[in-house]
Amino acid sequence: MSDRRLLLIDTCGLGGSVALSSAAGIQQVELAPRMAASHGMRAVRELLDEAGSSLADLDAIAVMHGPGSFTGVRVGVAMAKGLSEAAGIGLIPLSRLDVLRAMSPEAMFAALDAGRGEFYLGSATEQELVTLQEMLSRVPAKATVVVCEERVADSLDALTVVRVPEPTAKDGLGLALAALDAGRAVTAEAVDALYLRRPDAERALERG
């Protein structure tokens, strides 16, 4: 257990979760699909109340800022930035790919379904949107790829794949606490959503 008080928000998928780490341990509240915007703040209050804490007691706030659902990522980032500014404390952005990769120590890469036959691929040095063929060309034959989705696992049968449960907020707490201890918390203004793919509306505007 850590004596640091850290709140982590994850709404990258259809649902989401909010986790709190403190000297008392780790508590997490799950958010139902498509309910993050309406129930996210309620979950934060519930966790803080159960721990006998307030926003002012937190050392930092962390957020999985993507990649994932455009709406989900936007909701989580907005919530985390608002709380960070309200409490006057630092914000720690975490890539969902980094959290997923940390769930399998032997994995050099992590992959998530990006839809449209594409994938989000992450390593220790790079994160990008790729096609299946691009992924197969980038991942060495003996490298391990960690995934959390059946469709992705099935698509990567030519590679060495480790499947783990879909990451939740509590799975990112270790990385967030390490970042906090290393002094890598930043201001809310410095954090943006990590989409990797540009929104359709933005591409449509470019096409005129």
Side-chain angles (χ1 to χ4, degrees):
M1 295 182 201
S2 171
D3 60 355
R4 312 298 293 276
R5 292 182 182 267
L6 179 69
L7 180 77
L8 196 153
I9 298 167
D10 170 30
T11 61
C12 290
L14 288 177
S17 53
V18 180
L20 176 67
S21 175
S22 68
I26 294 172
Q27 294 85 36
Q28 177 167 279
V29 174
E30 302 284 343
L31 302 173
R34 300 182 177 86
M35 300 300 287
S38 58
H39 290 178
M41 289 304 300
R42 183 188 305 172
V44 170
R45 288 194 296 269
E46 179 181 327
L47 282 176
L48 291 173
D49 288 346
E50 287 182 358
S53 299
S54 67
L55 279 178
D57 297 322
L58 296 177
D59 292 294
I61 293 170
V63 61
M64 286 197 216
H65 68 143
S69 154
F70 282 121
T71 300
V73 169
R74 187 166 58 245
V75 166
V77 170
M79 188 188 312
K81 292 178 74 164
L83 290 170
S84 171
E85 290 176 338
I89 56 178
L91 186 57
I92 299 169
L94 295 178
S95 164
R96 197 172 184 223
L97 286 165
D98 285 342
V99 174
L100 180 60
R101 193 163 50 84
M103 293 171 69
S104 178
E106 72 270 29
M108 296 176 60
F109 295 86
L112 290 163
D113 186 5
R116 306 177 188 176
E118 296 177 311
F119 304 86
Y120 300 120
L121 177 66
S123 67
T125 59
E126 190 171 9
Q127 304 195 10
E128 56 186 334
L129 177 70
V130 298
T131 64
L132 177 59
Q133 290 305 313
E134 288 171 336
M135 186 186 305
L136 294 176
S137 69
R138 284 165 170 70
V139 178
K142 294 185 179 180
T144 300
V145 183
V146 60
V147 306
C148 62
E149 299 152 312
E150 184 177 1
R151 178 186 175 280
V152 179
D154 292 342
S155 299
L156 303 184
D157 57 0
L159 300 174
T160 302
V161 171
V162 172
R163 186 174 174 188
V164 299
E166 185 172 351
T168 63
K170 66 181 179 181
D171 294 310
L173 284 172
L175 290 180
L177 287 167
L180 176 61
D181 290 339
R184 295 202 298 271
V186 298
T187 62
E189 292 81 4
V191 176
D192 291 318
L194 177 66
Y195 290 127
L196 295 184
R197 170 188 282 142
R198 291 184 303 160
D200 289 340
E202 185 179 306
R203 296 201 299 269
L205 284 173
E206 284 188 356
R207 292 194 297 267

